[in-house]
Amino acid sequence: MSSDAPRQDWPTPPGYPPPGPAYGAPGTPPPAAPPSASSHRGAWIGAGATLVAAVIGVVGTYMVAGNNSPASPAKNPAAAAATPAAQAPGAAAAPSDPAPPQSSPSPAASAPRTPSGKPPGTVQWEGALVIEYAGPKDLDAAPPEESEVNSDNDFSVYSFGNERLRPEGGAKMMVWEGPSKVPSYEDCAGVVDTLGTTKEADLKTGRVFCGKTKEGRVVRLTVKRFAGGGGSTNGTFDVVVWGK
């Protein structure tokens, strides 16, 4: 084989692609890259944030609407009306309603109360009363009796030559010598304050004494009988005690 013969035993050279477009001519853009996993994660986070914001907006709107709802009416209209309205700062206070005029008391309410006990001139007690020696009697009690407090007793009897009646504890008496045989309340009350004394007087059957007790009650004592002597002296009287 000569060197000038074609090289038929050499392998065929590889083919090349056809030449591309000329430089500067528009070409087909490369295909877009598929989305990555990080892109999907960002999309989910954005959607979640949007949903949370929507829920917060709805809840806030509901709360504002609830706070702005009108208050329920007061259960007690009178109490609500009595509550003074709030005033703006610097505003003058509204004048309060004048107090209602007080009605004048009725004659029955203004009349003085009757003191407890019998009124003056009314018989508090009347009857026979025995007064013994060392047994004084309290004529302010009804019926009259001997008081355990000796200063509360009003009259006693004793014998010192003659049987006598003696006032005790601040009481006073006088022998009635007026024209009327039996003095009334007005008769005794009119003279006992001026003529009555704390001195004793002899007992005589039928003698009348006007007196006044320690508490100020007018009394009348009429001697019915008397007896004894010394420690056994006693006297029986018809007694009337009038209220003071």
Side-chain angles (χ1 to χ4, degrees):
M1 176 181 300
S2 64
S3 58
D4 296 333
R7 299 175 182 179
Q8 297 178 355
D9 53 349
W10 287 15
T12 303
Y16 293 92
Y23 176 79
T28 302
S36 62
S38 60
S39 299
H40 286 290
R41 187 180 301 109
W44 280 108
I45 292 174
T50 302
L51 179 59
V52 171
V55 171
I56 293 175
V58 171
V59 173
T61 302
Y62 178 79
M63 294 179 65
V64 171
N67 292 336
N68 292 334
S69 61
S72 59
K75 294 183 179 180
N76 189 348
T83 304
Q87 295 181 351
S96 59
D97 294 335
Q102 298 182 354
S103 58
S104 58
S106 61
S110 59
R113 296 179 57 189
T114 302
S116 59
K118 300 289 185 178
T122 302
V123 175
Q124 174 175 292
W125 185 85
E126 181 176 9
L129 179 66
V130 177
I131 304 178
E132 298 176 343
Y133 177 79
K137 293 294 188 286
D138 177 11
L139 271 65
D140 287 309
E145 60 183 1
E146 181 179 0
S147 174
E148 295 180 357
V149 180
N150 191 55
S151 60
D152 289 342
N153 293 311
D154 296 300
F155 296 96
S156 65
V157 296
Y158 76 104
S159 177
F160 188 74
N162 295 323
E163 288 74 17
R164 296 184 175 185
L165 177 67
R166 179 170 62 188
E168 303 279 356
K172 55 186 178 179
M173 70 178 191
M174 56 166 290
V175 176
W176 173 254
E177 296 177 345
S180 175
K181 185 176 181 180
V182 181
S184 63
Y185 166 79
E186 289 76 12
D187 292 332
C188 285
V191 295
V192 71
D193 284 332
T194 56
L195 301 179
T197 67
T198 58
K199 295 180 179 181
E200 67 273 6
D202 291 340
L203 294 180
K204 293 182 180 180
T205 303
R207 175 168 279 186
V208 178
F209 298 92
C210 286
K212 201 164 193 179
T213 67
K214 179 180 179 181
E215 293 186 7
R217 291 177 174 85
V218 176
V219 299
R220 183 182 70 210
L221 300 93
T222 303
V223 181
K224 299 301 292 180
R225 60 181 177 270
F226 58 95
S232 62
T233 301
N234 64 83
T236 302
F237 303 84
D238 280 340
V239 176
V240 178
V241 180
W242 289 284
K244 63 176 183 178

